[in-house]
Amino acid sequence: MTPEKKVKNAVVAMLKKAGAYCFYPVAGGFGSSGIPDIIACYKGRFFAIECKAGKGKTTALQDKSIAQIKDAGGLAIVVNEENLIEVQEILDYITQENLNGINN
């Protein structure tokens, strides 16, 4: 298993444990390039996660997609083995929004 696949598996495990909906979008062919690796929805909030291994960098197309998601009001992050905690932080943030009635 590649190091990036390990990151993806860890992210999906956290999302599933929280009860989030998530999927891997299909890239290439008829799909769009630059789409983040994981698309998710949790408690009504849309977010996307680009997974990298080590010091892997995002491409210009990935940066553009992430910016478009943020501009549209979604959340988007890039994670690797060292900052996986950010996925849990997003889940906690969304949970807190719901508790405060922000997203209802």
Side-chain angles (χ1 to χ4, degrees), residues 41-61:
C41 186
Y42 180 63
K43 297 185 182 284
R45 282 297 299 257
F46 173 91
F47 59 101
I49 303 166
E50 177 61 36
C51 299
K52 295 293 182 186
K55 305 266 188 226
K57 302 289 183 192
T58 54
T59 66
L61 283 173

Side-chain angles (χ1 to χ4, degrees), residues 4 11-12 17 20 30 33 39 42 44-45 55-57 62-63 68-69 73-74 77 83 86-87 91 95:
E4 185 172 306
V11 168
V12 169
K17 182 178 178 185
F30 293 106
S33 296
I39 303 298
Y42 180 63
R45 282 297 299 257
K55 305 266 188 226
K57 302 289 183 192
Q62 290 169 333
D63 290 338
Q68 288 174 320
I69 290 166
I77 60 171
N83 69 337
E86 290 186 29
V87 176
L91 296 168
T95 298

Side-chain angles (χ1 to χ4, degrees), residues 42 85 87-97 99:
Y42 180 63
I85 189 69
V87 176
Q88 188 60 51
E89 289 171 352
I90 282 183
L91 296 168
D92 293 344
Y93 173 79
I94 293 169
T95 298
Q96 193 61 45
E97 275 186 336
L99 291 174

Side-chain angles (χ1 to χ4, degrees), residues 1 15 18 21 31 36 62 67 76 94 104:
M1 179 181 314
L15 295 173
Y21 168 81
Q62 290 169 333
I94 293 169
N104 293 331

